[in-house]
Structures are given as C-alpha cells and as structure tokens.
Amino acid sequence: MSAAVKYTLGRIGLFAVVLAALWFVEMNLFLKLMVALIFSAAASFFLLRPWRDEMAEEMAEAAERRRTEKERLRSALAGEDEDGPKA
C-alpha cells in the first residue's frame, strides 16, 4: 500500500475516532465536526509523522524520476541522445 493511501486513511480514521468520542457530548453537530477536525489534525501531526515522512520521500523520489525522464527526453529530442543511432 502506498504511503499516501496509508496517511490518508490514517487521517480519516483519526477523525472518525475523535468524532466518535465527541458523539455523546451535548453540542451542535457542526461544532462537533469542527472540533473533531481540529483535534484530529493536531493529533495527526504527532501520531502520523512516520507515514507523513514516508509519503514525502515517495513524492520526492517520483519528482526526481520525472525530472530525470524529462531531461532524457529533451536531450533525445535535441539530437543529443547517446544511445540513439548516429547520422
């Protein structure tokens, strides 16, 4: 499972847990949702740090692969391709 999926599911799960804890508290539903959102965001900052770091590493690696591929394609289009046939 990719790190982005794990982190997203972790954030949703954390929100659901906080909302379930607030479900029996007497307050407006909108206020419950807002409090759950704020508390789950704060908790995820600390509890989901490893998954967030893993996701950031995957994103950096993907960006580097795209950058390398883009440079390779540019050089191939400019005729600087070392692996291609020489004219």
Side-chain angles (χ1 to χ4, degrees):
M1 181 183 309
S2 77
V5 172
K6 284 194 304 189
Y7 181 71
T8 302
L9 290 176
R11 288 285 308 255
I12 291 170
L14 197 53
F15 174 77
V17 166
V18 174
L19 184 62
L22 291 173
W23 194 254
F24 299 107
V25 176
E26 290 285 330
M27 71 173 73
N28 186 355
L29 178 62
F30 181 73
L31 187 59
K32 285 181 191 179
L33 292 171
M34 294 309 296
V35 170
L37 182 67
I38 292 168
F39 276 102
S40 66
S44 71
F45 183 75
F46 299 105
L47 298 176
L48 301 180
R49 175 172 279 153
W51 289 351
R52 186 175 57 245
D53 292 344
E54 183 181 342
M55 182 177 66
E57 288 175 16
E58 281 185 7
M59 292 173 66
E61 290 170 4
E64 183 60 33
R65 280 194 310 270
R66 284 192 304 272
R67 187 176 9 262
T68 304
E69 182 65 16
K70 186 177 180 180
E71 289 173 7
R72 189 191 66 76
L73 288 173
R74 278 193 179 162
S75 66
L77 289 172
E80 302 168 4
D81 190 11
E82 297 174 4
D83 298 332
K86 304 281 184 188

